[in-house]
Amino acid sequence: MAAEVTPKKPPDWKNLTDTVQDAESLRQESINAHHDHLITEIETSDGPLGTSLRAVYEGDELEKFKESLGDHIKNHDKEIERMCNYHYQGFIDSIRELLKVSCDAAQLKDEISEVNNHLQDSCEPLLTKGEELVKCRRVQRNIASAVENLTLCLPVLEMYGKLQEQMSSKRYYPALKTLEQLEHTYLPRVETHWFSQTMKEAIPKLREQIKEASMSDLKDFLENIRKHSVKIGEVAMKHAAEQNNMDPAIAQSNVKMKTKRAPKPPNPFTGEIEKEGGKEKSALADSTDDMGELSAQDLIDFSPVYRCLHIYTVLGDREKFETYYRKQRRKQARLSLQPPSNMHESIENFKRYFHDIVGFFVVEDHILSTTQGLVNRAYMDELWEMSVSKLAASLRTSAASCKESDMMLDIKKLIVLFCHTLRGYGFSVGHLLELLLEMRDQYSDILTRQWVDIFNEIFDEDNYTPIYVESVEEYTAIVTQFPFQDEELEQETFPKRFPFSFFVPSIYTQVKAYINACLKFSADLHLSHTEIDDMIRKSTNLLLTRTLGSCLSSLIKRRGLTLLQLIQIAINMNYLEKSCSYLEDYISSITGAQNDSVHMARLHGTSMFKDARSDAEEHIYSKLNLKISEFIELANYDWLLPESKGHASGYITDLVAFLQSTFMSFTNLPEKVAKTSCMSACKHVATSLMNFLMDNNIKQVTMGALQQFNLDLIQCEQFASSAPVPGTRDGTLLMAFADIRQLLDLFLNWDWSLYLADYGQPTSKYIRVKPSDAISLLEKLNNTDNKKKNLFTTLKKTERDKKKLIDTVLKQLRGLVNGTA
């Protein structure tokens, strides 16, 4: 069945099968060759087998590889067995020979052991000596190495010890130098030793310690210099006063202070202080007695500044040090420029203030000249400009509170000396000199206030009577004190009488004293003679016009002054007015400006004294009229008097006597003033008398009362015609009484027809009589008649005619007043 089912292969299939079989055999051969190659690599390789084993496991023929590997192992085992069989007899022979050699080796070992024992016994002393020699050689080598290392280390340690000693003794200059040598020269030689690293690490700390220590010294110096600035400034100003021929006492403070000479600075490289006579110069030596031999720089030790500057320069922090120093000194400058609150109370406060400022700038100038760049001129100028502005403001404020001229003079002298002192150090003081000119005006104001009291005291003490002298000495004292020349007075015998009172020479003397006081302030201000002369004249004009003029005005207005005192004051004004030319000459003589009269200002005292005299004259007129009014107030007229008493009233008699005695004292007054006073008095009397008649309270007047009034008027007219003062004999005084005289004559003469007929004519006899006045007086007479009419029912024909006439006259007078006549 199988044969039937299976078809018979065609002939061509045989070739195809053979071909497949050949390919399979080739593939198998290739695999076997590959396995053989891998096995060969495994056998011959001395390195890692990872690559070969990976090739084995990466393929799919692992089992076949194992079979091939087993076949190779079997082949090798067969070869080993064959080799062993081939060499077995030789191996046996070698074992036998080896056993023989073993016996010989044991014998040789025994002999060698015997020889070794013998050698050990014989070399034992030699080994002992050798070990000792090695030890000695080792010690010797160690000693040499130690000596060598100590030779290198000892200078380092010595330098470090020296550094510590210098640090402890605050000799920072040499300490810094030692530190540099230690770091750059000595430590590199011993850098293999552990302590050199410790020292290297300590060097920055030591530098910081030196910087801190030097900065601490600098802070102590700044604090110390702040305390000693006052004394430094005092010494500097004293020397400046001596150089400028000024009184050193100006700068001398009354508060005694111990001054100490500063020690000389140490050598910057060695740190040693120079010795003199085997002893160090100490800062504890008091030098109060020989302060004049010391300079300002001798009073302070500047070595901390130099030391700190050098240290910071070496350490590369110079700029930081300069900034710190300038900042601290600016703060101290502001403290120095801050004035005490009570500086104006004492000149000692001003001295200490100036000493402190001068001391500050003297120290800075010394630093400028002894260091390179720590401070420079630009810094100094900036600091000075700031100081000048604050100083000027402080002085203005403090000086404004001063009330005494002597203190102002002392302040001025201090400022001048202050300017001389700082100008010597190269500072500009122009603003301070301008301040002095401002203070001069304030000084003048203070003087003016003081002279107000002086003038008022003179006025209070004067008796306002002419000066009487009883000897040549007294006369000479007056004419020496006041420029007065009178040949007639010189020829008179003693006692002599000056026309003026004591306040004239006193005022003149005090004005000269004021001029001298003004000149004191103008001294040392570097002003020309003309400038000084102008300033003094300006101040004197203010004194005369404002101060003295005000005092005279107040004096003249005093209520307690009598008429005679006012007259004496007016007389005094004449002589003070004449003295102004002498005051001008005096100013020119003391200022040295005589030759520059073209530009000299005139004193205004002449016009002021004229005004004061005019004021006094006005008050004389007022006072005289007031006195006249007091007499007139005593008048007690009986206006219903039937007949006159036949003589003048008592008050008029007393008034005339008073006027006569008063005008006798007018002999020293100018004629014009006397005439004006007399005319004013007469007018006032006439006006008062007219007011009596025109008084509205008086309702009735009799002809007897008018006749009595006429007698009083006659007394006044007789006084006016007696020429009570020179130059009044021309009848001018009588003109004061013309109005009332014509009015009284009109009534006493009953000349109404003439008055009414000539009214308004220039040649009228009663031209000064006003219709209104006539009406007033006539009505009072008419009222008296009306009263009589009431008393007597029947009147005489003459009385009736008179009454009718009065009514007619009144009607016509009213027509004149109303303008209808």
Side-chain angles (χ1 to χ4, degrees):
M1 295 271 315
E4 292 178 358
V5 173
T6 303
K8 190 177 181 178
K9 295 180 181 181
D12 294 334
W13 285 12
K14 182 180 182 180
N15 296 329
L16 181 60
T17 303
D18 293 337
T19 304
V20 171
Q21 290 177 352
D22 293 337
E24 182 66 25
S25 62
L26 290 174
R27 178 175 173 273
Q28 190 65 38
E29 288 176 1
S30 174
I31 291 172
N32 292 335
H34 178 62
H35 287 169
D36 292 339
H37 176 69
L38 289 176
I39 293 171
T40 302
E41 285 184 355
I42 291 171
E43 289 176 351
T44 58
S45 176
D46 294 331
L49 301 176
T51 304
S52 301
L53 294 176
R54 187 181 299 112
V56 172
Y57 283 94
E58 286 178 353
D60 297 332
E61 305 297 332
L62 179 62
E63 295 298 329
K64 291 183 178 182
F65 177 77
K66 290 181 179 179
E67 292 177 0
S68 298
L69 182 62
D71 293 337
H72 276 77
I73 293 171
K74 291 178 181 179
N75 291 331
H76 283 297
D77 289 341
K78 290 179 180 180
E79 289 180 1
I80 291 171
E81 185 179 358
R82 188 172 57 252
M83 288 296 295
C84 288
N85 292 331
Y86 179 74
H87 294 287
Y88 179 75
Q89 187 62 40
F91 176 72
I92 296 301
D93 293 338
S94 296
I95 292 300
R96 290 174 181 170
E97 290 178 359
L98 184 60
L99 290 175
K100 291 180 181 180
V101 171
S102 176
C103 293
D104 293 336
Q107 183 179 357
L108 179 60
K109 179 179 178 182
D110 293 336
E111 291 177 357
I112 290 173
S113 177
E114 184 179 356
V115 172
N116 181 53
N117 291 334
H118 179 72
L119 181 61
Q120 291 291 334
D121 293 338
S122 58
C123 289
E124 184 176 356
L126 180 61
L127 292 174
T128 303
K129 294 296 182 181
E131 289 178 359
E132 293 178 356
L133 179 61
V134 169
K135 291 180 180 179
C136 289
R137 292 289 185 182
R138 187 180 296 113
V139 170
Q140 184 178 7
R141 185 171 64 251
N142 291 339
I143 291 174
S145 176
V147 169
E148 181 181 358
N149 286 307
L150 286 175
T151 303
L152 294 175
C153 293
L154 279 178
V156 178
L157 297 175
E158 289 175 356
M159 290 295 288
Y160 191 79
K162 183 180 179 181
L163 174 64
Q164 294 296 329
E165 180 184 356
Q166 290 168 342
M167 290 285 291
S168 61
S169 61
K170 296 183 178 182
R171 295 163 58 198
Y172 301 118
Y173 275 138
L176 195 60
K177 189 68 175 179
T178 301
L179 192 62
E180 292 177 1
Q181 293 177 353
L182 184 64
E183 181 181 15
H184 299 292
T185 304
Y186 291 93
L187 282 180
R189 300 175 185 174
V190 293
E191 59 185 0
T192 57
H193 298 279
W194 63 268
F195 69 86
S196 67
Q197 185 64 28
T198 304
M199 289 185 178
K200 285 182 180 180
E201 295 174 356
I203 285 176
K205 298 179 181 179
L206 290 174
R207 283 202 177 97
E208 288 299 322
Q209 289 180 10
I210 292 175
K211 288 174 66 176
E212 292 174 1
S214 62
M215 183 57 71
S216 176
D217 287 349
L218 177 68
K219 292 178 180 178
D220 294 339
F221 165 81
L222 292 175
E223 181 179 356
N224 191 39
I225 201 68
R226 175 71 183 139
K227 296 177 180 178
H228 288 81
S229 288
V230 174
K231 181 52 63 178
I232 293 173
E234 180 179 351
V235 174
M237 290 182 71
K238 179 182 177 184
H239 290 170
E242 294 172 351
Q243 294 172 2
N244 290 276
N245 298 322
M246 298 178 69
D247 185 7
I250 298 173
Q252 189 73 36
S253 176
N254 294 329
V255 180
K256 297 298 181 182
M257 297 176 60
K258 284 187 176 182
T259 57
K260 300 176 181 180
R261 185 188 293 271
K264 295 189 69 174
N267 188 294
F269 300 103
T270 64
E272 300 294 332
I273 298 177
E274 295 184 10
K275 297 180 180 180
E276 183 177 348
K279 296 181 179 180
E280 283 191 1
K281 290 185 177 180
S282 174
L284 303 176
D286 292 339
S287 57
T288 305
D289 297 333
D290 62 343
M291 190 171 63
E293 299 177 0
L294 296 178
S295 66
Q297 293 79 8
D298 292 332
L299 300 175
I300 200 69
D301 178 16
F302 289 91
S303 59
V305 181
Y306 308 142
R307 183 185 305 121
C308 199
L309 175 62
H310 178 72
I311 289 172
Y312 272 76
T313 302
V314 171
L315 298 179
D317 279 343
R318 179 187 177 97
E319 184 177 354
K320 177 181 178 182
F321 172 74
E322 291 177 357
T323 302
Y324 175 81
Y325 178 83
R326 295 183 183 182
K327 180 180 179 181
Q328 295 301 317
R329 289 299 280 167
R330 281 194 179 94
K331 291 181 179 179
Q332 292 188 341
R334 294 187 181 96
L335 290 176
S336 298
L337 290 167
Q338 185 67 32
S341 58
N342 60 341
M343 187 166 71
H344 63 279
E345 295 178 359
S346 171
I347 192 63
E348 290 298 321
N349 295 334
F350 280 95
K351 288 183 179 180
R352 183 174 181 83
Y353 182 60
F354 282 114
H355 292 165
D356 198 3
I357 297 174
V358 171
F360 175 86
F361 282 101
V362 168
V363 169
E364 289 304 285
D365 181 78
H366 185 74
I367 294 295
L368 175 65
S369 60
T370 55
T371 60
Q372 296 294 330
L374 179 56
V375 295
N376 52 32
R377 179 50 63 180
Y379 160 80
M380 295 287 285
D381 292 340
E382 176 189 356
L383 203 58
W384 173 245
E385 288 298 326
M386 180 269 291
S387 301
V388 166
S389 60
K390 291 189 176 182
L391 174 63
S394 300
L395 290 177
R396 286 191 184 96
T397 303
S398 299
S401 302
C402 292
K403 305 300 180 184
E404 299 179 2
S405 59
D406 291 340
M407 179 175 284
M408 286 294 293
L409 275 178
D410 292 338
I411 294 173
K412 170 253 179 181
K413 293 176 183 177
L414 275 174
I415 294 176
V416 170
L417 182 55
F418 179 83
C419 292
H420 283 311
T421 304
L422 291 180
R423 185 189 289 116
Y425 288 94
F427 296 101
S428 174
V429 294
H431 293 298
L432 294 179
L433 294 178
E434 294 175 1
L435 174 64
L436 283 175
L437 297 180
E438 296 178 16
M439 293 179 62
R440 188 194 175 284
D441 295 334
Q442 183 181 349
Y443 173 75
S444 298
D445 293 339
I446 294 176
L447 287 181
T448 300
R449 290 193 292 269
Q450 292 180 354
W451 256 253
V452 169
D453 298 333
I454 292 173
F455 290 148
N456 288 331
E457 184 179 358
I458 291 173
F459 296 150
D460 292 338
E461 295 177 353
D462 194 22
N463 57 8
Y464 300 98
T465 57
I467 301 174
Y468 282 87
V469 292
E470 298 181 354
S471 63
V472 177
E473 290 77 10
E474 294 178 357
Y475 179 83
T476 305
I478 297 298
V479 296
T480 304
Q481 189 177 2
F482 181 73
F484 177 75
Q485 296 178 355
D486 190 344
E487 295 181 358
E488 295 181 0
L489 184 61
E490 291 178 359
Q491 294 174 1
E492 291 180 6
T493 59
F494 288 98
K496 297 181 179 181
R497 184 178 72 90
F498 287 93
F500 45 80
S501 65
F502 269 109
F503 93 61
V504 172
S506 299
I507 292 293
Y508 182 81
T509 302
Q510 288 302 325
V511 172
K512 290 177 63 176
Y514 176 87
I515 293 171
N516 292 332
C518 290
L519 183 63
K520 289 181 181 178
F521 199 94
S522 299
D524 300 325
L525 296 186
H526 304 288
L527 301 174
S528 65
H529 296 305
T530 304
E531 290 175 328
I532 295 176
D533 187 88
D534 290 341
M535 294 172 67
I536 292 179
R537 287 175 184 269
K538 178 182 177 182
S539 300
T540 307
N541 278 329
L542 291 176
L543 177 75
L544 293 176
T545 57
R546 184 183 302 174
T547 307
L548 182 55
S550 177
C551 292
L552 286 172
S553 179
S554 301
L555 171 66
I556 293 170
K557 293 176 182 178
R558 287 185 184 179
R559 293 182 177 273
L561 286 180
T562 64
L563 181 60
L564 293 178
Q565 289 175 332
L566 277 172
I567 294 172
Q568 187 61 57
I569 291 173
I571 294 171
N572 290 347
M573 294 302 102
N574 290 329
Y575 293 96
L576 287 175
E577 179 184 346
K578 296 176 182 178
S579 67
C580 288
S581 60
Y582 296 99
L583 289 175
E584 292 179 353
D585 295 338
Y586 179 73
I587 293 174
S588 298
S589 64
I590 63 175
T591 59
Q594 298 97 328
N595 298 327
D596 195 17
S597 58
V598 177
H599 301 286
M600 286 192 302
R602 308 296 298 179
L603 292 183
H604 300 161
T606 303
S607 59
M608 186 278 296
F609 288 125
K610 285 182 179 179
D611 295 339
R613 184 184 63 200
S614 300
D615 192 13
E617 291 169 358
E618 291 295 331
H619 279 75
I620 289 173
Y621 307 151
S622 313
K623 184 72 72 171
L624 183 59
N625 292 338
L626 183 62
K627 194 66 177 177
I628 292 172
S629 298
E630 292 177 359
F631 281 99
I632 292 178
E633 287 176 358
L634 299 176
N636 187 16
Y637 283 103
D638 182 6
W639 297 106
L640 299 178
L641 189 68
E643 293 181 0
S644 67
K645 299 177 182 179
H647 58 81
S649 302
Y651 84 94
I652 284 293
T653 305
D654 294 341
L655 175 59
V656 170
F658 165 75
L659 291 176
Q660 288 175 345
S661 63
T662 299
F663 286 115
M664 287 180 62
S665 63
F666 278 44
T667 54
N668 291 322
L669 281 175
E671 181 179 337
K672 179 182 177 181
V673 177
K675 290 171 65 176
T676 304
S677 299
C678 195
M679 178 59 72
S680 175
C682 292
K683 287 182 178 180
H684 186 64
V685 173
T687 303
S688 300
L689 292 176
M690 180 65 78
N691 290 336
F692 280 141
L693 293 178
M694 298 296 110
D695 189 358
N696 293 327
N697 294 324
I698 299 174
K699 303 300 183 181
Q700 299 175 1
V701 176
T702 63
M703 291 301 295
L706 291 179
Q707 291 171 356
Q708 180 63 43
F709 198 81
N710 184 53
L711 293 176
D712 294 344
L713 179 59
I714 291 172
Q715 285 291 323
C716 295
E717 290 173 337
Q718 288 177 354
F719 167 76
S721 61
S722 66
V725 293
T728 57
R729 294 186 179 275
D730 55 356
T732 54
L733 296 180
L734 285 173
M735 296 298 295
F737 301 96
D739 292 354
I740 193 170
R741 167 49 61 198
Q742 291 183 13
L743 181 62
L744 281 178
D745 287 347
L746 176 62
F747 277 85
L748 293 176
N749 296 331
W750 207 252
D751 204 359
W752 295 105
S753 59
L754 180 62
Y755 173 76
L756 294 172
D758 293 343
Y759 180 77
Q761 300 296 324
T763 59
S764 175
K765 179 180 179 181
Y766 303 104
I767 192 173
R768 292 180 176 272
V769 178
K770 298 178 181 178
S772 58
D773 294 341
I775 291 173
S776 177
L777 189 56
L778 191 57
E779 286 179 343
K780 294 176 182 179
L781 283 172
N782 192 27
N783 291 338
T784 303
D785 293 340
N786 290 337
K787 186 176 182 181
K788 289 180 179 180
K789 180 179 179 181
N790 293 332
L791 293 175
F792 306 100
T793 56
T794 59
L795 294 176
K796 297 178 181 180
K797 184 178 183 300
T798 55
E799 294 295 335
R800 289 196 301 270
D801 294 340
K802 182 179 180 181
K803 178 67 175 64
K804 185 177 180 181
L805 176 60
I806 291 175
D807 292 339
T808 303
V809 172
L810 283 174
K811 183 178 181 181
Q812 292 180 357
L813 289 175
R814 290 189 181 99
L816 292 176
V817 171
N818 296 327
T820 59

